[in-house]
Amino acid sequence: MPQTLFDKIWNSHVVKTIPGGPSVLYIDKHFIHEVTSPQAFNGIGKRGLTVLRPQNTVATADHNVPTINQHLPIKDELSRIQVEQLKENCAKYDIELYGLGHPFQGIVHIIGPELGITQPGMTIVCGDSHTSTHGAFGSIAFGIGTSEVEMVFASQCVMQTKPKLMRINIDGTLNSGVVSKDIILHIISQISASGATGYFVEYAGSAIRQLSMEARMTICNMSIEMGARGGMIAPDETTFDYIKGRQFAPSGEQWDRKFAQWKELYTDQDAVFDLEINIDAVEIQPMITYGTNPGLGIAINGYIPVMDTIPDEGERKNIIKGLQYMGLEAGKQLLGMPVQHIFIGSCTNARIEDLRLVASIVKGKKKNANVQVMIVPGSQQVAAQVQAEGLDKIFEEAGFSIRQAGCSACLGMNEDKIPAGEYCISTSNRNFEGRQGAGARTLLASPLTAAAAAITGVVSDVREMMPQ
Amino acid sequence: MQPINKIHTTFVPMPMENIDTDQIIPARFLKATTRLGFGQNLFRDWRYESDGTPKEGFILNNPQYSGEILVAGKNFGCGSSREHAAWSLLDYGFYVVVSSFFADIFKNNALNNGVIPVQVTENFLQKIFLLGKEERLTISLEDQTITIDKTGESESFDINDYKKTCLLNGYDDIDYLLSMKEEIAEFEKQHVY
């Protein structure tokens, strides 16, 4: 029987399926961080258990670390305690930790791939919903709660009900100025913030095949923003080339063995999905959001919908509530609207290619005097690459504030917050009320669109600033 | 986990859709290293002004509404995987959340903490929203039903047999996984990554 990519990986990881219940799914790789792990460590401690397979877990500190002066003790007491507990727990249970100061430290979903830990065919979990990022390598990767983190510690397994399967095919060639962030914002705007709930999504089609690994990660990263359990892309030459030679990638004979397995990871010709959606790549424009969930997005030169065009009452109320919070009006354009902050960072868009995109727009220019621009590389390695390529000079000359690696203003757990009532064009993944700080107003967009606004100080169409 | 079966109380209606876990418990309150005390920051930014005074008009600040059941619009619990959302609801005193649609991760987190996610039809949900604040709902996990006391109208809800047994008896998944130790070890022998 023809199988989907998801089926192939799922079936090879099921230890047991409980009749009328979930499956016990074996986990190959478990990432942990300081915020969602302490209660799980406490839990196994209380039960007198230990971590069953510590070599299958990797830890980093990212969610609430400061992004300046990381060599100094963390000022915020509660954050410091969480980071210290992570250190103690990792030492106690023999788990590899890339903590502050380590050259591999960074946002958990950025370091996994860049170190070659994330590999095709794996099952990967982390106490963070953006774990879907790792699906870009053709793995089953999804976010879990802290009770499930505890389960992985205790048994290297989680209990999961098999999701329904959706395939989103994107064919054709992308327009100039359109990058992978625009693809995923477009998809979510089409199917809504809950449109993929209950599903695991495979992204396919010629437009996806043409993307780099980093661009594919941006798409899989935001799968959760339409409710999907996760997103995945079948591995191909682009994937294998990316992995080869990385720190923890297989090499020699081991590579040959893995490579033979990885080449089998694709959806068979006649495999059936519960739902298929087809999108023409040329329809996709640079995108921006106007509301308080990631599904409320429009083309950069588009108009906020007027309420008569929204048939569903619940959705209408949603948009009205969102617009009220955002201080925006139905029927209006966002283009030309002043913004006060630009945040370039997060597990969605803080990889080297994202920062190169930003540099391509701001090179030789200065930021607008009315905006503050924070640029937060996703990892120590990305930060080192920024320096190696001289991008830091471009950003400094533009007047950007270059920070150290962490989740930063994506969720505002550390000091990096957007003040109440002010607008921020953000390359992150969520525009929920208060996400970037109480009262902060977030407009999600691509690194190119963020870069354009950094220079002009207003919502801008990057296509007008690109070399012809 | 505490065993749970029947809940029979008044309810707190929150007829908004897409209530995300950042609203249920904002990120800045995730710095604790225990599971306790999150209830005081449940819906923090909807519930309190920045200086800590309760916001008039927010339902949790209205003493006329009470009960162990939260009733919310569709796609409840979307966004971040933070289990703190389930902990804060439980700590506040909600043992049941009723909605027409739940986000996947939240649903798992709720079940893992003894909070029952009761998924009803949109039609039934709207009927609940029209009820007065003194009306009661009855949720029976054993029978998998939710009933409006006043009218006797009832709907059944889905929950898998395994999870139902866990909730009724207060078992958790770790108990189960530990009982599978040998099968997991066998699996590992043939599974290479």
Side-chain angles (χ1 to χ4, degrees):
Chain A
M1 202 177 121
Q3 286 189 304
T4 64
L5 168 63
F6 181 91
D7 288 328
K8 288 178 184 177
I9 304 172
W10 176 271
N11 293 341
S12 66
H13 287 80
V14 170
V15 179
K16 180 185 178 178
T17 298
I18 302 169
S23 296
V24 176
L25 190 72
Y26 192 80
I27 298 304
D28 294 316
K29 201 52 79 178
H30 183 206
F31 293 101
I32 60 169
H33 60 84
E34 76 278 22
V35 175
T36 57
S37 67
Q39 293 88 348
F41 278 117
N42 291 345
I44 56 164
K46 267 190 213 155
R47 290 173 197 251
L49 300 170
T50 189
V51 175
L52 183 68
R53 300 282 175 251
Q55 70 278 15
N56 293 358
T57 294
V58 175
T60 193
D62 57 1
H63 274 61
N64 67 26
V65 299
T67 56
I68 38 175
N69 293 326
Q70 286 184 347
H71 62 288
L72 298 176
I74 300 174
K75 280 187 212 154
D76 181 284
E77 192 193 350
L78 296 174
S79 298
R80 191 174 64 244
I81 291 171
Q82 274 193 335
V83 172
E84 278 169 4
Q85 278 212 5
L86 181 69
K87 209 168 161 182
E88 285 163 19
N89 283 324
C90 288
K92 181 174 172 189
Y93 293 104
D94 209 15
I95 290 169
E96 187 77 31
L97 166 66
Y98 305 132
L100 282 183
H102 193 287
F104 296 165
Q105 182 265 339
I107 304 176
V108 63
H109 309 309
I110 292 196
I111 67 167
E114 79 180 0
L115 291 170
I117 298 171
T118 301
Q119 293 170 23
M122 280 181 165
T123 48
I124 299 173
V125 293
C126 173
D128 187 281
S129 60
H130 294 111
T131 307
S132 55
T133 313
H134 306 263
F137 291 79
S139 62
I140 293 182
F142 54 91
I144 56 176
T146 298
S147 292
E148 293 167 308
V149 172
E150 192 177 335
M151 290 174 211
V152 183
F153 284 160
S155 69
Q156 203 54 40
C157 291
V158 292
M159 306 197 54
Q160 286 290 309
T161 305
K162 193 177 175 187
K164 291 183 282 184
L165 300 179
M166 181 192 299
R167 181 161 61 185
I168 300 179
N169 304 296
I170 303 157
D171 284 294
T173 308
L174 292 172
N175 293 309
S176 149
V178 173
V179 291
S180 65
K181 180 65 162 288
D182 301 306
I183 299 177
I184 189 64
L185 284 174
H186 176 87
I187 294 171
I188 306 170
S189 76
Q190 298 295 301
I191 74 168
S192 92
S194 59
T197 303
Y199 289 91
F200 212 98
V201 177
E202 180 179 343
Y203 302 95
S206 59
I208 297 290
R209 288 275 146 249
Q210 287 159 28
L211 296 174
S212 70
M213 281 318 295
E214 297 198 353
R216 292 178 190 185
M217 283 186 246
T218 301
I219 291 182
C220 289
N221 172 276
M222 288 189 70
S223 302
I224 182 72
E225 308 312 336
M226 48 186 174
R229 204 72 188 79
M232 68 199 311
I233 294 171
D236 58 12
E237 287 306 317
T238 306
T239 321
F240 309 139
D241 289 348
Y242 177 95
I243 298 170
K244 203 164 196 174
R246 288 183 185 266
Q247 193 79 23
F248 297 104
S251 59
E253 266 179 43
Q254 211 199 0
W255 172 272
D256 297 338
R257 193 171 58 79
K258 290 281 174 209
F259 188 61
Q261 291 170 10
W262 293 348
K263 283 196 298 189
E264 301 304 315
L265 295 170
Y266 55 84
T267 289
D268 296 333
Q269 191 76 45
D270 297 317
V272 179
F273 288 81
D274 298 291
L275 185 63
E276 285 214 57
I277 292 174
N278 298 304
I279 290 174
D280 187 349
V282 298
E283 286 172 15
I284 307 171
Q285 307 296 322
M287 294 288 293
I288 191 160
T289 64
Y290 60 87
T292 50
N293 77 56
L296 301 179
I298 49 174
I300 190 80
N301 52 6
Y303 294 81
I304 298 172
V306 286
M307 292 309 121
D308 338 350
T309 61
I310 314 287
D312 182 73
E313 192 193 337
E315 178 71 357
R316 209 158 50 228
K317 279 188 189 160
N318 242 335
I319 298 179
I320 292 169
K321 185 170 179 285
L323 289 177
Q324 204 170 13
Y325 177 85
M326 293 293 293
L328 297 172
E329 263 180 75
K332 293 276 167 67
Q333 259 193 321
L334 290 174
L335 214 55
M337 185 183 89
V339 296
Q340 293 75 45
H341 301 268
I342 309 289
F343 172 65
I344 296 160
S346 88
C347 57
T348 311
N349 281 130
R351 298 179 184 83
I352 190 65
E353 287 179 14
D354 300 315
L355 305 188
R356 284 181 195 142
L357 285 176
V358 174
S360 75
I361 299 298
V362 307
K363 190 174 183 180
K365 300 193 179 85
K366 292 232 179 297
K367 76 168 180 72
N368 182 279
N370 299 321
V371 294
Q372 291 184 41
V373 186
M374 199 193 301
I375 189 158
V376 189
S379 70
Q380 303 289 346
Q381 295 213 71
V382 171
Q385 189 63 26
V386 162
Q387 288 196 352
E389 295 181 20
L391 305 185
D392 54 329
K393 299 276 177 305
I394 296 174
F395 298 144
E396 266 165 33
E397 281 165 21
F400 292 7
S401 169
I402 309 174
R403 302 300 187 88
Q404 291 170 294
C407 298
S408 181
C410 171
L411 81 167
M413 264 196 93
N414 69 353
E415 305 76 11
D416 305 340
K417 292 182 174 68
I418 308 303
E422 298 191 7
Y423 291 99
C424 176
I425 294 196
S426 178
T427 68
S428 58
N429 39 58
R430 291 192 173 129
N431 50 359
F432 297 153
E433 284 183 33
R435 171 79 179 181
Q436 296 197 285
R441 292 163 162 173
T442 304
L443 308 161
L444 300 175
S446 78
L448 282 178
T449 299
I455 302 305
T456 60
V458 298
V459 175
S460 301
D461 189 338
V462 71
R463 291 170 294 195
E464 287 163 16
M465 297 169 70
M466 289 169 74
Q468 293 304 305
Chain B
M1 218 162 68
Q2 292 296 317
I4 185 166
N5 182 12
K6 215 162 226 175
I7 300 284
H8 176 232
T9 70
T10 49
F11 63 97
V12 177
M14 289 183 71
M16 294 91 101
E17 294 184 354
N18 299 319
I19 295 179
D20 60 76
T21 54
D22 272 84
Q23 307 316 314
I24 300 172
I25 181 91
R28 63 187 189 278
F29 300 109
L30 306 186
K31 296 184 182 185
T33 51
T34 69
R35 295 177 183 225
L36 304 172
F38 287 101
Q40 58 185 324
N41 292 314
L42 175 68
F43 294 112
R44 175 76 196 202
D45 293 337
W46 286 354
R47 196 167 145 201
Y48 297 107
E49 303 288 352
S50 52
D51 64 2
T53 42
K55 283 187 182 175
E56 258 185 64
F58 184 62
I59 196 134
L60 293 189
N61 296 327
N62 184 339
Q64 296 186 319
Y65 289 90
S66 64
E68 296 172 354
I69 304 164
L70 179 69
V71 184
K74 78 169 185 199
N75 200 26
F76 185 83
C78 59
S80 158
S81 60
R82 59 190 69 165
E83 193 164 314
H84 312 66
W87 299 338
S88 61
L89 289 163
L90 189 65
D91 190 53
Y92 184 87
F94 288 123
Y95 294 95
V96 173
V97 183
V98 179
S99 177
S100 56
F101 200 73
F102 289 94
D104 284 336
I105 305 180
F106 173 80
K107 196 179 197 173
N108 270 351
N109 288 340
L111 289 168
N112 285 334
N113 286 279
V115 174
I116 312 175
V118 173
Q119 187 162 325
V120 296
T121 59
E122 191 62 41
N123 188 24
F124 196 80
L125 185 72
Q126 295 308 326
K127 278 184 189 162
I128 300 175
F129 285 141
L130 292 174
L131 295 172
K133 48 188 175 292
E134 68 287 351
E135 302 300 337
R136 287 169 171 255
L137 303 174
T138 304
I139 283 96
S140 166
L141 179 59
E142 182 81 61
D143 303 336
Q144 294 180 224
T145 53
I146 172 169
T147 308
I148 299 172
D149 280 21
K150 187 183 177 185
T151 61
E153 284 170 286
S154 188
E155 246 192 32
S156 60
F157 62 87
D158 273 348
I159 181 165
N160 70 56
D161 293 345
Y162 165 80
K163 268 295 167 196
K164 184 171 161 180
T165 308
C166 285
L167 289 169
L168 287 170
N169 295 287
Y171 303 154
D172 65 25
D173 286 355
I174 294 186
D175 299 330
Y176 184 84
L177 288 168
L178 290 174
S179 77
M180 291 241 344
K181 211 171 172 180
E182 281 167 26
E183 282 161 280
I184 293 169
E186 274 308 305
F187 177 89
E188 283 182 321
K189 280 185 198 158
Q190 55 81 35
H191 178 76
V192 221
Y193 198 97

